[in-house]
Amino acid sequence: MGDISAHFNPAMTLAFAIRGDMGKGMALAYIVVQYIAAAAGSSLALYLFGEAGNLAATMPKEGLVFKSLIFEAVLTFAMVLLVLSMANGPKLNGPFVPIAVGGYIMAAGTMGGPFDGAAFNPARAFGPDFALGNFSGYWIYPVGSIVGAALAVLVARFLRGPAKASESQAAMGTPLDKSD
Protein backbone atom coordinates (compact mmCIF):
# COMPACT_ATOMS: atom_id res chain seq x y z
CA MET A 1 0.00 0.00 0.00
CA GLY A 2 2.96 2.24 -0.45
CA ASP A 3 3.48 4.98 2.08
CA ILE A 4 0.37 4.25 4.14
CA SER A 5 -0.23 1.53 6.68
CA ALA A 6 -0.63 -1.78 4.94
CA HIS A 7 -1.74 -4.23 7.59
CA PHE A 8 -5.01 -6.08 7.07
CA ASN A 9 -5.10 -8.02 10.32
CA PRO A 10 -7.00 -6.97 13.46
CA ALA A 11 -4.39 -8.80 15.56
CA MET A 12 -1.71 -6.50 14.12
CA THR A 13 -3.94 -3.46 14.59
CA LEU A 14 -4.43 -4.46 18.22
CA ALA A 15 -0.69 -4.92 18.65
CA PHE A 16 0.04 -1.48 17.17
CA ALA A 17 -2.60 0.05 19.47
CA ILE A 18 -1.25 -1.71 22.59
CA ARG A 19 2.29 -0.68 21.69
CA GLY A 20 1.15 2.92 21.35
CA ASP A 21 1.60 3.27 17.60
CA MET A 22 -2.10 3.96 16.99
CA GLY A 23 -4.79 5.75 18.92
CA LYS A 24 -7.84 3.78 20.06
CA GLY A 25 -10.15 5.55 17.59
CA MET A 26 -7.89 4.87 14.63
CA ALA A 27 -7.42 1.23 15.70
CA LEU A 28 -11.17 0.74 16.05
CA ALA A 29 -11.73 2.21 12.57
CA TYR A 30 -9.11 -0.14 11.12
CA ILE A 31 -10.64 -3.19 12.81
CA VAL A 32 -14.17 -2.34 11.65
CA VAL A 33 -12.95 -1.93 8.06
CA GLN A 34 -10.92 -5.15 8.26
CA TYR A 35 -13.99 -7.11 9.37
CA ILE A 36 -16.23 -5.49 6.74
CA ALA A 37 -13.67 -6.30 4.04
CA ALA A 38 -13.42 -9.91 5.20
CA ALA A 39 -17.20 -10.31 5.19
CA ALA A 40 -17.51 -8.67 1.77
CA GLY A 41 -14.73 -10.77 0.24
CA SER A 42 -16.13 -14.04 1.54
CA SER A 43 -19.67 -13.06 0.54
CA LEU A 44 -18.42 -12.36 -2.98
CA ALA A 45 -16.63 -15.72 -3.04
CA LEU A 46 -19.84 -17.43 -1.89
CA TYR A 47 -21.79 -15.70 -4.66
CA LEU A 48 -19.21 -16.54 -7.34
CA PHE A 49 -18.24 -20.08 -6.32
CA GLY A 50 -20.88 -21.32 -3.90
CA GLU A 51 -19.85 -23.20 -0.79
CA ALA A 52 -16.99 -24.97 -2.59
CA GLY A 53 -14.18 -25.74 -0.18
CA ASN A 54 -16.29 -24.34 2.66
CA LEU A 55 -14.89 -20.92 1.58
CA ALA A 56 -11.61 -21.93 3.25
CA ALA A 57 -13.24 -21.49 6.66
CA THR A 58 -10.98 -22.02 9.65
CA MET A 59 -12.33 -24.73 11.91
CA PRO A 60 -10.68 -26.51 14.82
CA LYS A 61 -10.61 -30.29 14.79
CA GLU A 62 -13.27 -32.07 16.82
CA GLY A 63 -12.21 -32.40 20.46
CA LEU A 64 -9.21 -30.09 20.10
CA VAL A 65 -10.84 -26.74 20.84
CA PHE A 66 -8.61 -25.73 23.77
CA LYS A 67 -5.45 -26.92 22.01
CA SER A 68 -6.54 -25.01 18.90
CA LEU A 69 -6.96 -21.88 21.00
CA ILE A 70 -3.43 -22.23 22.37
CA PHE A 71 -2.03 -22.99 18.92
CA GLU A 72 -3.76 -19.95 17.42
CA ALA A 73 -2.27 -17.78 20.17
CA VAL A 74 1.21 -19.19 19.45
CA LEU A 75 0.88 -18.65 15.68
CA THR A 76 -0.37 -15.09 16.20
CA PHE A 77 2.34 -14.37 18.79
CA ALA A 78 5.11 -15.35 16.40
CA MET A 79 3.68 -13.42 13.46
CA VAL A 80 3.07 -10.26 15.50
CA LEU A 81 6.52 -10.44 17.09
CA LEU A 82 8.08 -10.83 13.63
CA VAL A 83 6.18 -7.83 12.27
CA LEU A 84 6.83 -5.64 15.32
CA SER A 85 10.52 -6.46 15.04
CA MET A 86 10.60 -5.13 11.49
CA ALA A 87 7.93 -2.44 11.62
CA ASN A 88 8.34 1.29 11.80
CA GLY A 89 4.92 1.97 13.26
CA PRO A 90 2.44 -0.04 11.20
CA LYS A 91 4.66 0.21 8.10
CA LEU A 92 7.00 -2.59 7.12
CA ASN A 93 10.24 -1.16 5.83
CA GLY A 94 12.99 -2.81 3.84
CA PRO A 95 13.21 -4.94 0.73
CA PHE A 96 13.18 -8.28 2.56
CA VAL A 97 10.25 -7.68 4.88
CA PRO A 98 7.64 -9.08 2.47
CA ILE A 99 9.75 -12.21 2.05
CA ALA A 100 10.08 -12.70 5.82
CA VAL A 101 6.40 -12.07 6.59
CA GLY A 102 5.18 -14.03 3.55
CA GLY A 103 7.52 -16.90 4.38
CA TYR A 104 6.22 -17.03 7.95
CA ILE A 105 2.59 -16.97 6.81
CA MET A 106 3.25 -19.73 4.27
CA ALA A 107 5.14 -21.93 6.74
CA ALA A 108 2.76 -21.40 9.65
CA GLY A 109 -0.29 -21.81 7.43
CA THR A 110 1.06 -25.04 5.97
CA MET A 111 1.88 -26.36 9.42
CA GLY A 112 -1.19 -25.13 11.27
CA GLY A 113 -3.82 -25.32 8.54
CA PRO A 114 -4.64 -28.99 8.98
CA PHE A 115 -4.79 -28.58 12.76
CA ASP A 116 -6.94 -25.51 13.39
CA GLY A 117 -7.14 -23.63 10.10
CA ALA A 118 -4.21 -21.34 11.03
CA ALA A 119 -5.97 -18.01 10.69
CA PHE A 120 -3.74 -15.89 12.99
CA ASN A 121 -6.06 -13.17 11.76
CA PRO A 122 -9.52 -12.97 13.33
CA ALA A 123 -10.98 -11.15 10.31
CA ARG A 124 -9.70 -13.91 8.02
CA ALA A 125 -11.57 -16.43 10.20
CA PHE A 126 -14.65 -14.18 10.39
CA GLY A 127 -15.19 -13.73 6.64
CA PRO A 128 -16.07 -17.32 5.70
CA ASP A 129 -18.03 -17.82 8.94
CA PHE A 130 -20.07 -14.70 8.17
CA ALA A 131 -20.78 -15.75 4.57
CA LEU A 132 -21.71 -19.28 5.62
CA GLY A 133 -23.63 -18.18 8.73
CA ASN A 134 -21.71 -20.56 11.00
CA PHE A 135 -19.86 -19.05 13.96
CA SER A 136 -19.69 -22.22 16.06
CA GLY A 137 -15.90 -22.27 16.44
CA TYR A 138 -15.14 -18.66 15.60
CA TRP A 139 -14.45 -17.49 19.16
CA ILE A 140 -11.13 -19.38 19.14
CA TYR A 141 -9.60 -17.03 16.57
CA PRO A 142 -10.21 -13.62 18.16
CA VAL A 143 -9.38 -14.92 21.65
CA GLY A 144 -6.19 -16.64 20.43
CA SER A 145 -5.24 -13.56 18.43
CA ILE A 146 -5.77 -11.18 21.35
CA VAL A 147 -3.67 -13.34 23.67
CA GLY A 148 -0.93 -13.88 21.07
CA ALA A 149 -0.79 -10.22 20.03
CA ALA A 150 -0.72 -8.93 23.62
CA LEU A 151 2.10 -11.32 24.58
CA ALA A 152 4.07 -10.38 21.47
CA VAL A 153 3.81 -6.68 22.35
CA LEU A 154 5.10 -7.42 25.87
CA VAL A 155 8.06 -9.37 24.51
CA ALA A 156 8.78 -6.75 21.81
CA ARG A 157 8.65 -3.99 24.41
CA PHE A 158 11.07 -5.92 26.61
CA LEU A 159 13.44 -6.53 23.68
CA ARG A 160 13.14 -3.15 21.91
CA GLY A 161 11.62 -0.67 24.33
CA PRO A 162 8.57 1.53 23.78
CA ALA A 163 7.52 2.74 20.34
CA LYS A 164 9.29 5.84 19.06
CA ALA A 165 7.39 9.05 18.37
CA SER A 166 7.92 8.65 14.63
CA GLU A 167 6.36 5.18 14.76
CA SER A 168 3.22 6.57 16.37
CA GLN A 169 3.08 9.33 13.75
CA ALA A 170 3.44 6.75 10.99
CA ALA A 171 0.54 4.77 12.43
CA MET A 172 -1.64 7.84 12.06
CA GLY A 173 -0.56 8.44 8.47
CA THR A 174 1.92 11.24 9.18
CA PRO A 175 5.18 11.07 7.17
CA LEU A 176 8.14 9.68 9.06
CA ASP A 177 10.95 11.80 10.37
CA LYS A 178 13.98 10.04 8.88
CA SER A 179 16.27 11.34 11.65
CA ASP A 180 14.62 9.15 14.32
Side-chain angles (χ1 to χ4, degrees):
M1 296 296 293
D3 209 23
I4 61 172
S5 177
H7 63 281
F8 303 105
N9 183 339
M12 284 308 317
T13 302
L14 177 64
F16 288 134
I18 293 170
R19 190 169 83 161
D21 293 336
M22 298 183 92
K24 292 175 188 169
M26 180 69 77
L28 181 60
Y30 267 65
I31 290 169
V32 167
V33 169
Q34 290 160 344
Y35 270 86
I36 290 170
S42 291
S43 295
L44 178 62
L46 179 63
Y47 173 75
L48 293 174
F49 309 114
E51 293 184 18
N54 210 20
L55 296 179
T58 52
M59 294 179 210
K61 298 287 183 199
E62 188 80 26
L64 298 176
V65 172
F66 185 68
K67 290 180 179 180
S68 294
L69 173 66
I70 293 170
F71 195 56
E72 195 65 23
V74 169
L75 291 174
T76 303
F77 167 83
M79 183 195 65
V80 170
L81 187 60
L82 171 70
V83 170
L84 290 178
S85 297
M86 298 186 302
N88 187 2
K91 297 179 184 184
L92 298 178
N93 295 326
F96 300 108
V97 173
I99 295 170
V101 174
Y104 175 79
I105 290 171
M106 185 176 70
T110 301
M111 175 189 65
F115 183 71
D116 79 332
F120 41 94
N121 178 337
R124 185 263 175 267
F126 175 80
D129 288 354
F130 173 84
L132 296 170
N134 179 5
F135 292 96
S136 60
Y138 173 71
W139 68 273
I140 290 168
Y141 304 99
V143 172
S145 291
I146 289 169
V147 170
L151 289 174
V153 171
L154 289 174
V155 170
R157 186 176 199 106
F158 175 77
L159 295 174
R160 183 176 178 212
K164 298 174 185 168
S166 63
E167 292 170 334
S168 296
Q169 289 173 341
M172 301 304 223
T174 305
L176 292 174
D177 175 10
K178 300 294 183 187
S179 65
D180 192 21

